Amino acid sequence: GLKKKEVNVLCLGLDNSGKTTIINQLKPTNAQAQDIVPTIGFSIEKFKTSSLSFTVFDMSGQGRYRNLWEHYYKEGQAIIFVIDSSDKLRMVVAKEELDTLLNHPDIKHRRIPILFFANKMDLREALSSVKVSQLLCLENIKDKPWHICASNAVQGEGLQEGVDWLQGTHY
Ligand code: GTP
Ligand code: MG
């Protein structure tokens, strides 16, 4: 068959937000890891949809590794930004990291699509995706296509909606 178009995706967000769990769920069952551990540095993963082949840079969100993110911005053609919706204390830290990303010279003037996952929606204390969107001031992002989905990465809920959106944007 035809070779699928390849798209480089950066998976960003604070440590423990669920980035690796999300990416793992998007891989074919036989390629999925059973135990997920905190990412050291970053890991390169692949998954396919009906029309696209995604190469994901699954970055560590730990503070000491966040300075690695910017080295991959130029290569990124899409961003998946993951938020732990139950982590109210660090929502402001997530916003700071998002704002730093949006103001970076390699991102600022590009129409790079950003998919947000308001993850861990299964937890009782989780904020809604609307609330997360308000706290992160997503309505201020006017020069890039973006979309937010509530997700439960452990059960795989909400992920398909996000991937469908990513697949439907232009690269
Ligand atoms: P770093 O690699 O350190 O940046 O973290 P990460 O963002 O990759 O998070 P990871 O996928 O390692 O998940 C962190 C923890 O959150 C794990 O214990 C996951 O099982 C758990 N987790 C991930 N997604 C969800 C979710 O939707 N709901 C719940 N309840 N737990 C989740
Ligand atoms: Mg990880």
Side-chain angles (χ1 to χ4, degrees), residues 123-142:
L123 298 180
R124 194 180 38 80
E125 63 274 27
L127 300 171
S128 70
S129 59
V130 171
K131 191 69 198 170
V132 170
S133 169
Q134 285 169 351
L135 290 173
L136 298 183
C137 302
L138 299 188
E139 72 280 6
N140 291 347
I141 307 176
K142 301 199 195 294

Side-chain angles (χ1 to χ4, degrees), residues 21-22 25-26 115 117 119 149-153 156-164:
T21 309
I22 289 174
Q25 286 279 9
L26 299 177
L115 171 62
F117 281 116
N119 194 37
C149 302
S151 61
N152 168 357
E157 291 165 3
L159 303 182
Q160 193 55 47
E161 178 196 326
V163 171
D164 288 347

Side-chain angles (χ1 to χ4, degrees), residues 15-21 36 39 61 119-120 122-123 152-154:
D15 50 296
N16 198 51
S17 55
K19 299 178 293 298
T20 303
T21 309
I36 288 169
T39 306
N119 194 37
K120 307 201 183 182
D122 53 296
L123 298 180
N152 168 357
V154 173

